[in-house]
Amino acid sequence: MVKHSEIMNLREEEISRILEQLSKQTDGFENPKIVMIGGYALRAFTSLSRYTRDCDFVLKKSEGWNFEQNTR
């Protein structure tokens, strides 16, 4: 039976490969500008070893930051 830690490590490796590919495709997250938030962002700047179940990103809308307007 596969251990939980082995599954988590495999997932971490796959997410790392995905982030590396995304970084290459966006010129280091600059074009378009992408911001990583949440647990993975925290791990990039701290020495804490922490697993997280998701990887969150924010993209700025072309028309700026605002709430969607209902045009009815």
Side-chain angles (χ1 to χ4, degrees):
M1 184 172 196
V2 180
K3 293 181 181 179
H4 178 70
S5 61
E6 291 172 352
I7 293 171
M8 297 298 282
N9 286 333
L10 288 172
R11 187 181 64 178
E12 293 291 313
E13 290 171 12
E14 184 62 24
I15 290 173
S16 178
R17 282 192 288 273
I18 292 167
L19 291 174
E20 181 66 30
Q21 183 64 30
L22 186 57
S23 177
K24 288 178 184 176
Q25 292 178 340
T26 61
D27 193 24
F29 301 109
E30 291 294 324
N31 186 22
K33 192 166 196 83
I34 300 172
V35 177
M36 188 185 325
I37 60 174
Y40 276 99
L42 178 64
R43 288 181 56 202
F45 298 103
T46 68
S47 61
L48 300 175
S49 178
R50 176 179 178 263
Y51 289 113
T52 182
R53 293 186 180 268
D54 59 357
C55 192
D56 307 305
F57 291 94
V58 176
L59 296 168
K60 186 174 181 182
K61 293 175 67 173
S62 61
E63 60 273 354
W65 296 101
N66 53 44
F67 290 105
E68 297 290 333
Q69 299 278 332
N70 189 346
T71 57
R72 286 194 241 180

